[in-house]
Amino acid sequence: MSEGFNNPFTPVVGKVPLYMAGRETIIDDVDTALRGNGNDPAIISLLVGARGTGKTALLSHFADTAESVGWVTARVTCLSGMLDDILVRARRGASHLVDTQSHRKVKSLGLKDLATVELEDSKPELTNWRAQVEDILEALAEHETGLLITVDEVTPNVKEMTTLVAACQHFLDEGKKVALIIAGLPYGVTSLLSGESTPFLRRTARFELEPLNDYEVEEALIRTMADGGKKFAPDALAAAVEAVYGFPFMLQLVGYRAWRIAGGASTVDLDCVTGAVDIARKELEQRVYDAVWFELSDADKAFLAAMAEGSGPVRQAELAGRLGKASGHVSRYKKRLLQQGVIKERSRGVLEFCLPGFREYFAERIAEERDL
Ligand SMILES: Nc1ncnc2c1ncn2[C@@H]1O[C@H](COP(=O)(O)OP(=O)(O)OP(=O)(O)O)[C@@H](O)[C@H]1O
Ligand SMILES: [Mg+2]
């Protein structure tokens, strides 16, 4: 029975799900790096994925892991002012170990009792950002801990990224305990890699957040639903997996709605899932696809409109014909849209939409736009 249980699904942007579907390799690599001695490549990581694939949730997961093993964390978004933000958060996180306001370092720390901290005076001095972070790292090193910086939604236009990456490179070269995990949409990360920070970032671990496999979705749905005191009927589970289409946000939306519609029943049947999918689709459109739509250029839209003319996957050569463009144009926009996670290449030269229900959503939006 589900009485006394709360809805276990988390259709909330950036929320760490109760059960993380798939992503084992990346979690294993990064968690290992955070627990290790700083020599694992994943100590600097790039997470790349389309909207709603779980970038922010993974960043939060890693920051939580890091904190649980003693790291101080600074979780920021890639916006102008982010370096200040990192400093403020790092200081706040480290305040129980170091008196960051008066620039005094911790001299000794009673293991059981933080109140026994003794402080060593040193003169406050004007320093640049790197030196200020260095002070924090040195103070943390006395307690054999370090600083994890997570940067979400990397965009090409924030110059401070270059400073951050360069500083982290120096910190690592100097043997300091620092970790950096950057997440972004594919084009954001690609732009970052083509900038000044390229050589260093190319050496780091890069993880692509691909769509989840059906068996991963199935397992996550079953386990999460069980935590909410319910189980799926077999046909309901199959319908839910199909509707999710490997998309983490949709997994949470469908699960959340199905749990609610089932009410006091302990089994979620096909009717519940059918109703849940209808609502989930609309929510997905408002919360994710509208953002994807606004990121499309006119030429992207023309490309997708040509793709949407047929009913299924389409060959690149055929698209060139539909668009009346040369193959170079098709290749260029194919690359852009692959990078935005809107389409995928099913086999060489054969393209299809890759977000669940996006074709239908797109067709409606483009028709509205043409009617204006
Ligand atoms: N591996 C996963 N298994 C199950 N649910 C997940 C998984 N990853 C993320 N989610 C869920 O999917 C939703 C979207 O996750 P998140 O906000 O992290 O995506 P995102 O990639 O950061 O999206 P955006 O590009 O819009 O910022 C959240 O509700 C989260 O709980
Ligand atoms: Mg996000």
Side-chain angles (χ1 to χ4, degrees):
M1 290 303 286
S2 57
E3 258 169 55
F5 286 91
N6 289 321
N7 195 324
F9 290 92
T10 54
V12 177
V13 169
K15 184 95 178 160
V16 180
L18 195 59
Y19 183 81
M20 185 78 81
R23 316 292 186 224
E24 282 94 357
T25 310
I26 161 171
I27 290 179
D28 194 41
D29 282 6
V30 178
D31 279 358
T32 304
L34 292 171
R35 293 193 159 93
N37 59 3
N39 292 332
D40 299 272
I43 205 77
I44 307 284
S45 291
L46 290 168
L47 310 184
V48 192
R51 293 237 165 262
T53 48
K55 300 177 293 296
T56 308
L58 274 172
L59 286 180
S60 298
H61 167 85
F62 294 133
D64 292 347
T65 305
E67 282 171 12
S68 74
V69 294
W71 289 73
V72 166
T73 62
R75 313 174 187 210
V76 301
T77 301
C78 184
L79 293 170
S80 144
M82 64 183 269
L83 293 182
D84 279 346
D85 203 13
I86 289 171
L87 212 47
V88 169
R89 281 161 199 279
R91 283 190 174 141
R92 207 176 279 168
S95 62
H96 65 299
L97 296 176
V98 53
D99 180 354
T100 46
Q101 288 311 311
S102 65
H103 298 258
R104 289 181 298 174
K105 291 179 188 169
V106 173
K107 209 167 92 186
S108 72
L109 185 71
L111 268 182
K112 294 248 164 63
D113 180 9
L114 288 176
T116 65
V117 171
E118 284 177 49
L119 297 164
E120 192 184 26
D121 278 315
S122 69
K123 281 197 190 114
E125 51 190 30
L126 279 177
T127 67
N128 65 15
W129 184 84
R130 181 175 145 197
Q132 287 175 306
V133 176
E134 212 161 59
D135 283 348
I136 299 175
L137 290 175
E138 278 168 16
L140 293 177
E142 290 174 29
H143 306 288
E144 291 172 9
T145 191
L147 174 67
L148 164 67
I149 301 167
T150 67
V151 183
D152 202 1
E153 298 186 26
V154 67
T155 46
N157 309 323
V158 178
K159 290 248 174 342
E160 288 163 68
M161 255 334 270
T162 316
T163 310
L164 172 63
V165 172
C168 284
Q169 178 173 11
H170 287 295
F171 296 148
L172 285 177
D173 289 347
E174 292 157 6
K176 302 214 160 54
K177 194 162 177 181
V178 70
L180 174 66
I181 311 179
I182 300 168
L185 295 169
Y187 72 84
V189 173
T190 306
S191 313
L192 179 70
L193 289 175
S194 61
E196 293 164 51
S197 339
T198 317
F200 173 59
L201 284 180
R202 279 228 188 102
R203 282 190 268 135
T204 64
R206 178 181 168 139
F207 301 97
E208 312 274 346
L209 303 187
E210 305 284 351
L212 302 167
N213 293 317
D214 282 353
Y215 67 85
E216 293 169 335
V217 172
E218 188 175 293
E219 195 183 356
L221 283 170
I222 293 172
R223 287 199 184 201
T224 316
M225 196 55 98
D227 261 77
K230 298 183 197 289
K231 63 177 172 38
F232 283 97
D235 57 347
L237 181 63
V241 171
E242 194 186 332
V244 168
Y245 206 66
F247 196 55
F249 206 171
M250 190 63 171
L251 188 163
Q252 300 301 332
L253 288 168
V254 170
Y256 179 84
R257 289 294 165 190
W259 190 94
R260 274 187 61 174
I261 293 173
S266 59
T267 300
V268 177
D269 65 17
L270 186 57
D271 280 350
C272 295
V273 168
T274 310
V277 169
D278 276 351
I279 304 174
R281 286 235 163 92
K282 291 194 188 78
E283 291 178 324
L284 190 65
E285 290 180 2
Q286 285 163 3
R287 300 208 211 159
V288 182
Y289 292 173
D290 285 354
V292 175
W293 169 265
F294 285 116
E295 282 162 2
L296 297 173
S297 69
D298 287 344
D300 291 332
K301 288 179 188 169
F303 187 101
L304 293 174
M307 270 185 70
E309 277 175 29
S311 59
V314 56
R315 292 198 166 278
Q316 228 169 293
E318 197 180 331
L319 268 184
R322 285 185 199 168
L323 283 163
K325 298 276 186 192
S327 64
H329 175 94
V330 173
S331 301
R332 194 161 58 250
Y333 283 91
K334 169 183 121 179
K335 193 170 163 206
R336 267 175 64 90
L337 291 160
L338 282 171
Q339 286 193 343
Q340 287 177 61
V342 177
I343 61 171
K344 65 182 174 192
E345 194 159 19
R346 162 188 276 232
S347 55
R348 211 173 143 74
V350 179
L351 306 177
E352 64 184 349
F353 286 87
C354 74
L355 301 169
F358 190 76
R359 168 196 287 275
E360 294 75 16
Y361 167 86
F362 178 82
E364 269 174 37
R365 291 297 302 248
I366 203 89
E368 279 166 21
E369 196 170 79
R370 282 174 182 162
D371 286 346
L372 285 178

